Amino acid sequence: MKTNGMEGARGDRACGARPRMVRGRMDRGRGGRACVTRAWRARTWGARTRGTLVGLLAGMAITAAPGAAQETIEETRPLRAGGSLEIRTMDHSILLIPWDRNEVRVRGEYDPRLERLEIRGSGDSGESLTVEIHHEGGSRGRESRGDRTLEVQVPAELRLDGGSVSGSIEGAGLRGTVEVASVSGSIRLTGLDVERAHITSVSGSLQVEGRGEEVRARTVSGEVRVNVEAPVIAAQSVSGPVTVEGRGVHRRVEMGAVSGGIVFQGALGPRGELKAESHSGNVELTFNRNVDARFRLSTFSGSIRADLEGVRDRREERGRFAPGETLTFTTGDGLGRVEARSFSGRLRVGHGG
Amino acid sequence: MRHPESEQLSAFAEGRLQETRLREVVERHLEDCPDCRSEVAWIRELRTEALSLKSQEAPPPEGLWARVEAGIHASGRRTSQGPAGDTAPATMDLSQARRGRRRGGGGWTRYTLQAAAVLALAAISSFAALTLLRTGSGGVDDPNGSAGAPALVAEREAPGGSVRFASAMEELESAYAPAILELERALERDRENLAPATIQVLEENLRIIDEALREALTALAADPGSSMATGLVGGMYETKLQVLQQAVRLAQGV
């Protein structure tokens, strides 16, 4: 076990190399104090991510507001590959970076006057580890600095349970199982290769990329974007748009929104099921290859349009006493199932890709 | 024997009864009153369970919703048939539930409340939610698919359909209410342990959840057959519970 205590990045002025958001676009010029904004959240991940992010954290350490009692965190604890890691923060964002060591290294800053850092583990076995930053009791009326990031290097394969109140959560290249939640922060996980990923937020947006057996993403008012190769996908938002761009073939896809629109692009496997429903948003389903399924498209006051080849058993029904339309048809062997429904939105089904 | 008010027992159970004399009165009463002792124990237990509820740990077993739905309907029949003292209303707060229990009447019992909360959490979360309350009008799983009138029209025109769903939603709310109420109470008590910015984030997001809940319920009222809206309503309750759990844990530093 290695503990580096106060050693850290304080004094490193590499912040200018870090990108930042300027009116919604990435500015890779000098960052100055603005470097401690949430700029990194929007940047594109690539091979240079790790090095750049080390610089990012280093830069954050020296841009503390004058007089702020920020203390540098640099702690390293054992965690075996496949072990359990639990991370909880209040307003710290969490940046997860896999590495090839059976250790977790936590770097960042906290204010010991207002916050308490707890790192608990199962000892040298590295079976499990918990990292938490709490507000200290009696911090009423005192504000900790916002926009801080906890950089956490982790074994690539792990069972992750992470959460933040207002911080965002971002990671690339994780394996194992991932369960993360944020109240208002966005969540962005790329390069996943997981058995299961469950991602939730209230007002934050969700973005998931990679592959897995089962991927679920749900937010209340944010946007959901899922771009994965996974047999089972579920994506939901109440008021935000939901987009699934699937790779490979899917066994079961469920997408739901109340006022947000739904877009699916991908392929359905043999006997696969797809269900997409929005109350007032549009539903657009684009199949990358021929789909063998029984279709059922329903709307109350919206419209339906289906442009698929090889359609048979087409049947269109309208309500007797109220508006409403249901279109059913079969393509191929009809063993799969596709149901799309919108109360007042537009339904579109077609080929593409 | 005069029992303490429900609010006093609740405050005592949660350690909020600040007035020494009143606390001593309640303590003395508890020594002699097994009902109230049981009540205090229940409040503490419920609060602990509310904090530890985690829907993902309990995947919904087969036929679960059918049992919940049967219970809902049975409860609805009791509500509509029995006198006020014999049955619980469709929607109630925790204190009402407690009173019902203390009376030993036919209202929601502790077990029913907890079971319903857990069942609802398990049933409404995840994929199960999207297949719940299916009206049999040709969903994905319906091999006959297009039989009958267009689904949306049939569902809207079905006699009592809206009433059934409204009732189900009320029951769902009452299933979540005890846990949510307990957590809100705990949060209110310990909120000064949280930084103002955190409180602001939590309150803002709880408001977003409530708005989303209303939005989903409005959608459900317009389209009672929408399994998506049903699922999202359940999902919003679940999300609210999770956010409150998180807030209380943070406030209590646990």
Side-chain angles (χ1 to χ4, degrees):
Chain A
M1 181 172 71
K2 187 174 75 173
T3 301
N4 294 327
M6 293 292 293
E7 293 174 18
R10 191 174 295 184
D12 186 338
R13 294 186 176 272
C15 189
R18 205 155 44 81
R20 63 190 176 116
M21 286 290 285
V22 177
R23 292 180 183 174
R25 293 182 304 142
M26 299 304 294
D27 178 0
R28 296 184 184 278
R30 290 183 62 81
R33 184 159 296 170
C35 288
V36 290
T37 66
R38 302 180 181 191
W40 62 267
R41 294 177 194 169
R43 67 185 299 276
T44 303
W45 286 74
R48 59 192 169 185
T49 297
R50 290 184 191 186
T52 306
L53 287 168
V54 169
L56 181 154
L57 263 291
M60 292 179 72
I62 54 90
T63 52
Q70 296 294 308
E71 196 161 287
T72 301
I73 306 164
E74 179 148 352
E75 298 278 346
T76 304
R77 301 290 172 89
L79 183 70
R80 69 169 179 82
S84 295
L85 175 63
E86 184 176 349
I87 307 176
R88 304 272 170 228
T89 71
M90 303 285 280
D91 52 16
H92 281 76
S93 292
I94 301 169
L95 177 58
L96 299 150
I97 303 173
W99 63 354
D100 58 2
R101 300 185 197 174
N102 288 336
E103 290 177 325
V104 169
R105 182 160 70 184
V106 183
R107 299 203 290 186
E109 286 184 317
Y110 78 112
D111 186 341
R113 298 172 309 168
L114 307 177
E115 296 166 323
R116 185 174 77 253
L117 169 68
E118 282 186 35
I119 302 181
R120 306 185 299 273
S122 56
D124 291 339
S125 70
E127 194 64 38
S128 64
L129 187 68
T130 299
V131 178
E132 293 177 335
I133 299 182
H134 299 286
H135 281 308
E136 284 286 19
S139 63
R140 185 184 180 88
R142 305 169 73 188
E143 294 289 356
S144 59
R145 286 177 56 238
D147 298 331
R148 293 166 302 167
T149 300
L150 210 57
E151 182 196 88
V152 187
Q153 288 174 278
V154 299
E157 183 177 354
L158 78 168
R159 284 175 285 146
L160 174 67
D161 181 357
S164 177
V165 175
S166 57
S168 63
I169 301 172
E170 186 159 348
L174 298 172
R175 291 186 281 126
T177 62
V178 172
E179 208 163 295
V180 291
S182 178
V183 176
S184 65
S186 60
I187 299 173
R188 184 167 187 264
L189 300 173
T190 57
L192 290 181
D193 187 358
V194 294
E195 290 172 29
R196 186 180 73 240
H198 289 183
I199 295 135
T200 57
S201 179
V202 176
S203 55
S205 294
L206 311 179
Q207 185 174 354
V208 193
E209 294 175 14
R211 56 187 296 173
E213 287 298 310
E214 178 189 302
V215 174
R216 298 183 187 192
R218 184 176 74 202
T219 180
V220 178
S221 63
E223 176 182 5
V224 179
R225 292 190 72 87
V226 176
N227 183 347
V228 296
E229 180 180 344
V232 177
I233 299 173
Q236 289 182 329
S237 177
V238 173
S239 54
V242 177
T243 302
V244 170
E245 293 175 353
R247 288 180 277 120
V249 293
H250 309 295
R251 192 173 70 240
R252 186 173 180 125
V253 178
E254 305 219 13
M255 305 169 69
V258 174
S259 54
I262 289 178
V263 174
F264 169 83
Q265 179 157 7
L268 212 54
R271 298 178 185 273
E273 290 186 2
L274 186 152
K275 185 166 185 176
E277 183 176 348
S278 176
H279 181 71
S280 56
N282 298 331
V283 178
E284 296 182 17
L285 310 179
T286 304
F287 295 94
N288 291 342
R289 61 176 77 172
N290 287 338
V291 55
D292 300 332
R294 178 87 176 138
F295 282 76
R296 182 178 183 84
L297 315 175
S298 304
T299 183
F300 182 70
S301 58
S303 62
I304 299 175
R305 179 175 166 183
D307 298 316
L308 288 170
E309 295 171 1
V311 168
R312 59 185 167 82
D313 301 334
R314 183 184 171 104
R315 186 172 170 186
E316 194 173 334
E317 297 178 42
R318 294 183 184 279
R320 282 171 295 174
F321 309 112
E325 182 180 0
T326 295
L327 177 65
T328 58
F329 58 87
T330 302
T331 58
D333 60 21
L335 293 176
R337 294 282 182 272
V338 174
E339 182 176 348
R341 176 180 168 121
S342 178
F343 187 76
S344 57
R346 191 179 66 227
L347 302 179
R348 294 287 181 268
V349 179
H351 281 301
Chain B
M1 185 189 321
R2 187 175 169 215
H3 297 288
E5 292 297 317
S6 290
E7 182 54 41
Q8 289 172 336
L9 278 183
S10 180
F12 179 84
E14 294 165 3
R16 289 186 291 110
L17 208 53
Q18 302 295 338
E19 196 183 329
T20 308
R21 197 175 61 82
L22 187 55
R23 198 167 57 240
E24 288 172 353
V25 168
V26 174
E27 279 172 348
R28 278 199 299 274
H29 176 82
L30 291 177
E31 288 172 6
D32 299 327
C33 177
D35 281 351
C36 288
R37 275 204 307 275
S38 171
E39 185 81 9
V40 167
W42 173 54
I43 293 166
R44 287 174 174 159
E45 190 182 333
L46 185 61
R47 188 170 166 212
T48 303
E49 290 183 13
L51 274 169
S52 63
L53 279 176
K54 194 169 184 182
S55 60
Q56 288 92 339
E57 288 173 356
E62 198 173 337
L64 175 113
W65 180 251
R67 294 197 294 278
V68 173
E69 198 172 33
I72 287 172
H73 289 161
S75 172
R77 282 194 295 275
R78 283 199 306 273
T79 302
S80 61
Q81 292 167 4
D86 293 335
T87 61
T91 304
M92 62 170 61
D93 65 22
L94 188 60
S95 59
Q96 287 175 301
R98 287 173 192 149
R99 283 195 289 272
R101 179 171 176 269
R102 292 177 76 184
R103 284 196 306 270
W108 285 80
T109 63
R110 159 190 158 186
Y111 172 79
T112 310
L113 281 168
Q114 290 172 329
V118 173
L119 287 174
L121 274 169
I124 298 297
S125 64
S126 70
F127 290 118
L130 294 172
T131 57
L132 296 181
L133 298 175
R134 207 180 281 280
T135 58
S137 58
V140 166
D141 298 331
D142 180 0
N144 298 320
S146 61
L152 283 162
V153 177
E155 286 150 6
R156 287 177 63 79
E157 291 172 353
S162 297
V163 174
R164 187 167 73 89
F165 277 92
S167 171
M169 287 303 107
E170 282 182 3
E171 294 294 346
L172 186 61
E173 185 178 352
S174 67
Y176 277 90
I180 286 175
L181 198 65
E182 284 298 310
L183 291 168
E184 284 175 340
R185 203 192 301 266
L187 181 60
E188 185 58 34
R189 194 190 66 186
D190 295 323
R191 60 181 282 146
E192 66 180 26
N193 290 335
L194 296 171
T198 304
I199 293 171
Q200 190 179 344
V201 169
L202 291 169
E203 288 181 343
E204 169 67 11
N205 281 273
L206 287 168
R207 187 188 60 74
I208 289 171
I209 294 169
D210 285 340
E211 278 182 11
L213 194 52
R214 278 193 289 276
E215 195 176 341
L217 284 167
T218 303
L220 196 58
D223 183 7
S226 170
S227 56
M228 175 278 303
T230 308
L232 282 173
V233 168
M236 290 310 99
Y237 276 118
E238 183 182 328
T239 302
K240 184 169 185 176
L241 196 69
Q242 287 169 347
V243 170
L244 281 168
Q245 284 176 331
Q246 189 177 6
V248 171
R249 286 198 187 101
L250 289 168
Q252 296 180 343
V254 295

